[in-house]
Amino acid sequence: MKLLLPFGLLFFALSFCGLGERISKQINDSTETTTTSDGETDVSEANPGKGDEVEVPKLTAAQEDIIAKGKELVWDGQGLTWKLPPGWNKLSQSKKMLNYGSVSKGFLIVSISSFADSFPADVSLKAFYDSHVTRAKQGEIEDVRYLEIDGVKGVEFIESMPEDKGDARRHQWLAYRKYNGQTQMLNVMVSTKGSNFDKQRDEFKAVLYSMKIGK
C-alpha cells in the first residue's frame, strides 16, 4: 500500500579532496512519495527487518570514556547537546543547521526541519525504516534498526564502504520530536571518508549516543 507523504527530505553530501580536503554540503528540500531516507546500524548490533523492536544504545567502556572526557556542545535555541572529543571544532552554525568536526576526526552535521502539527511523523518514520531495510538487503548500508536516544525513537543506519574509499561514509539517525509547539525532524549525522571510518567508530557512536534532546 502506497502512502503519499508530504515531507521535506534532507540529504547531505560530503566530499573530501586532496591535502586540503574540503567539505561540501548539498541540501535538497523536496516533496516526495513514500520512502526516501536513511536508517541503519552496525552489523554486530542489528539485523535488517527486526520489525517494531526499538533498541537503546549499548555503550562500550571505550565509548563511555570518550563521553566522560568530552566537551559539551550546546545548541542554544534548539535544546540539543552533545559531548565532543578533542579536535572537534565549530565549522558552521545557523538556526537549523550545525556542523562541527575536522578533516582528521570526522564531522557532526545536524539539521532540523519543521512541519505542521498534523504531519504523520509515525508513518514517515516507518517509511524511513522500511526503505533502509531494503537498502541493507541490497548491500548499500550495513544494517538498520529503530534506536531510541534520550527517550526519542528514531531510525539509525551506517552506510557500507563506498566504492571509492575517499568518498564520504555516514552514520546517521533520523527522528521526529515535538518542540516549541512544532513537529520537527532531527537529521543527525557523523561522517568521514570511507578510509577513515572504521577507526572513528567509537568516537562516532560516543558523539551520537551522548545526545540530549529537548522535548
Side-chain angles (χ1 to χ4, degrees), residues 96-194:
K96 291 192 173 182
M97 174 78 73
L98 175 147
N99 186 355
Y100 274 68
S102 72
V103 170
S104 62
K105 292 285 188 178
F107 304 93
L108 168 67
I109 303 174
V110 187
S111 72
I112 295 174
S113 300
S114 299
F115 302 94
D117 193 55
S118 59
F119 177 76
D122 290 343
V123 177
S124 178
L125 195 66
K126 180 66 161 60
F128 286 147
Y129 177 78
D130 288 345
S131 69
H132 288 86
V133 167
T134 299
R135 291 189 66 206
K137 292 175 179 177
Q138 293 170 344
E140 296 176 18
I141 55 178
E142 285 186 356
D143 211 338
V144 55
R145 66 174 174 177
Y146 286 118
L147 184 74
E148 182 180 293
I149 297 179
D150 195 32
V152 177
K153 177 184 175 181
V155 175
E156 182 191 36
F157 75 94
I158 298 174
E159 292 178 336
S160 299
M161 181 67 76
E163 186 174 350
D164 182 344
K165 292 185 179 181
D167 288 344
R169 188 178 182 189
R170 304 165 184 86
H171 181 169
Q172 194 163 352
W173 184 77
L174 298 162
Y176 291 93
R177 68 168 178 175
K178 297 285 188 179
Y179 189 69
N180 285 341
Q182 295 181 326
T183 297
Q184 294 183 338
M185 183 177 81
L186 304 178
N187 189 335
V188 186
M189 176 201 307
V190 280
S191 178
T192 187
K193 60 184 179 181

